[in-house]
Amino acid sequence: MSTPVIYLDITQVCQATSLSRTAWLELVTKGDAPKPRALTKQRSGWLLREVTEWCESRPVADRAPPPNTGHSNRPHAKRNRVIEGAPA
């Protein structure tokens, strides 16, 4: 029997909402998304119920979402760099 999830950390919230960490935290700062709850002096998290309610309160889109592009809009320096000693 698994333990039910009640609180989400920032990584879990971002996965659940398909938003980046920056985008989610901007919404929280503006008051447009639920604020985290203090669990201890050093730990906080978001109530799953509040995140779910926030998601369900979003308006219906009038267009299809774009494909998940991840970070493809960033330079691919790591792919293109030459590693010394590596075969060309």
Side-chain angles (χ1 to χ4, degrees):
M1 181 172 142
S2 64
T3 305
V5 175
I6 298 172
Y7 284 97
L8 303 174
D9 63 22
I10 185 69
T11 302
Q12 293 168 317
V13 169
C14 293
Q15 289 173 344
T17 61
S18 297
L19 294 172
S20 71
R21 181 184 191 99
T22 302
W24 177 256
L25 292 176
E26 283 179 11
L27 289 168
V28 171
T29 301
K30 291 178 185 177
D32 294 334
K35 293 186 183 251
R37 304 286 184 122
L39 303 175
T40 67
K41 287 183 180 181
Q42 298 178 1
R43 182 106 173 128
S44 62
W46 283 264
L47 271 171
L48 174 61
R49 176 181 48 80
E50 290 179 349
V51 173
T52 302
E53 288 171 358
W54 178 85
C55 290
E56 291 171 348
S57 74
R58 302 294 85 210
V60 175
D62 59 353
R63 61 180 189 264
N68 186 357
T69 57
H71 298 287
S72 65
N73 60 343
R74 295 184 183 172
H76 297 291
K78 289 182 181 178
R79 284 190 206 160
N80 297 330
R81 88 175 159 207
V82 176
I83 301 172
E84 289 183 36

